[in-house]
Amino acid sequence: MTDASSSSSGLLASAERTLRLEQQAIGALVERLDGDFERACELILACRGRVVVTGMGKSGHIGGKIAATLASTGTPAFFVHPGEASHGDLGMITPGDVVLALSNSGETAEVTALLPLLKRLGTPLISLTGRPGSTLARHAEAHLDAGVEREACPLDLAPTSSTTAALALGDALAVALLESRGFTAEDFALSHPGGSLGKRLLLTVADLMHSGDRLPRVPLGSPLRDALLEITRQGLGFTCVIDPAGRLAGVYTDGDLRRTLDQHSDLSGLSVDRVMTVPGKRVSPDTLAAEAVRLMEDGRITALAVVDDDDRPVGALHMHDLLASGVI
């Protein structure tokens, strides 16, 4: 074996050992879930304010992520640095809040220094530590035990398994709260309006459709030539065909044109009625854009007519509009 291959093998072995140790650390948390976890959830569900997450160093980084996860899943939360809290930022915490404090040792000076202030405010404290007998754990209304047998770091010093366990326990807390609140995908989208999920769940056909002068349409009985000119003029790959009452009688598309050319040698005498697709795919303006995508994919088409409750065309939607909006 060459030196290079020996080095590569060692790197992979190190990575595998790290992942197995962290996997074991997370697995051990399951056996330690108890009434304190339920108490922590009850405190947060009863909270009239927000969950204030705090932690120092690596625990602080994990705390920031936990706060972000809580906030995006229906539990208002934010992170406060414990050092800054002792120098003015404690004013961000109110009696109606709940504090979630992270410290692997449970003895971090910047965090334990907040205990008398929190007691004076009457703000409930949930601790997440690796030592159930620590100062922070003993003074908390609920303690979440994220202790690990050893760190993945071969020196057993760098926070690795312990931060992974704390992060996983924070996720478990957020998901338990999410399910208890009946939080839905639509609720999630409302806090992520700029993300792809938000666009899929919030945008409707009405937000994206072409309407007014941009709606391609020709009257029933029009020469095929007029339908082709309308398709070209609007550039949406189809036109609506409207009956005398203003309702959608059918559609004529680029695909219909190919079929027309296969079946008819002379187009000059054709009316659009004879070759249009009846009744034609259609959606309402309040249809979710994501549902319109599914209809297009299922029908292998690139455009849809948009009709009101009386089946009167009010807009047109093209696949390009969905692509440009980020829905797909």
Side-chain angles (χ1 to χ4, degrees), residues 23 122 146 155 157 160 164 199 231:
Q23 181 184 46
L155 303 176
L157 296 174
T160 44
T164 299
K199 290 176 180 176
I231 292 173

Side-chain angles (χ1 to χ4, degrees), residues 80 84-94 99 114 117-118 121:
V80 171
E84 299 295 333
S86 295
H87 294 276
D89 280 3
L90 192 68
M92 301 168 71
I93 305 174
T94 72
V99 171
L114 302 179
L117 305 172
L118 296 177
L121 283 172

Side-chain angles (χ1 to χ4, degrees), residues 47 77 80 94-95 115 137 154 208 215 248 261 285 289:
C47 175
V80 171
T94 72
L115 291 174
L208 304 174
L215 171 60
L248 184 66
L261 292 172

Side-chain angles (χ1 to χ4, degrees), residues 203-313:
L203 282 178
T204 65
V205 168
D207 297 319
L208 304 174
M209 70 183 189
H210 302 270
S211 58
D213 292 340
R214 289 287 289 122
L215 171 60
R217 53 193 156 190
V218 295
L220 195 64
S222 297
L224 180 58
R225 177 178 180 278
D226 291 354
L228 296 178
L229 289 173
E230 182 69 354
I231 292 173
T232 302
R233 185 173 72 87
Q234 299 291 10
L236 296 178
F238 86 111
T239 184
C240 297
V241 183
I242 313 299
D243 71 13
R247 294 186 294 268
L248 184 66
V251 296
Y252 191 74
T253 70
D254 288 341
D256 291 325
L257 174 59
R258 288 189 290 273
R259 286 185 288 273
T260 301
L261 292 172
D262 285 339
Q263 297 167 9
H264 300 271
S265 58
D266 182 12
L267 306 184
S268 60
L270 283 177
S271 70
V272 71
D273 311 37
R274 292 182 56 190
V275 289
M276 69 183 183
T277 296
V278 179
K281 296 290 185 181
R282 60 196 72 194
V283 292
S284 65
D286 59 355
T287 301
L288 287 176
E291 175 65 11
V293 172
R294 187 189 65 78
L295 290 172
M296 289 184 185
E297 290 176 341
D298 290 348
R300 297 186 178 182
I301 55 177
T302 59
L304 287 168
V306 186
V307 299
D308 62 16
D309 292 340
D310 295 321
D311 219 24
R312 300 174 187 273

Side-chain angles (χ1 to χ4, degrees), residues 67-85:
T69 300
L70 288 169
S72 69
T73 53
T75 300
F78 65 95
F79 178 81
V80 171
H81 191 285
E84 299 295 333

Side-chain angles (χ1 to χ4, degrees), residues 105-178:
S105 68
E107 304 293 345
T108 305
E110 293 85 349
V111 179
T112 57
L114 302 179
L115 291 174
L117 305 172
L118 296 177
K119 294 297 182 183
R120 180 174 298 178
L121 283 172
T123 302
L125 172 66
I126 300 169
S127 62
L128 194 160
T129 82
R131 293 175 55 201
S134 64
T135 299
L136 198 59
R138 287 186 288 105
H139 286 83
E141 278 78 5
H143 174 249
L144 304 180
D145 185 358
V148 298
E149 185 175 337
R150 60 165 296 170
E151 300 288 1
C153 165
L155 303 176
D156 198 23
L157 296 174
T160 44
S161 297
S162 59
T163 49
T164 299
L167 183 62
L169 197 50
D171 285 343
L173 184 65
V175 172
L177 293 168
L178 175 156

Side-chain angles (χ1 to χ4, degrees), residues 199-200 289-290 293 296-297 319-328:
K199 290 176 180 176
R200 290 199 302 273
V293 172
M296 289 184 185
E297 290 176 341
M319 184 70 78
H320 289 165
D321 304 317
L322 297 162
L323 286 166
S325 70
V327 174
I328 54 177

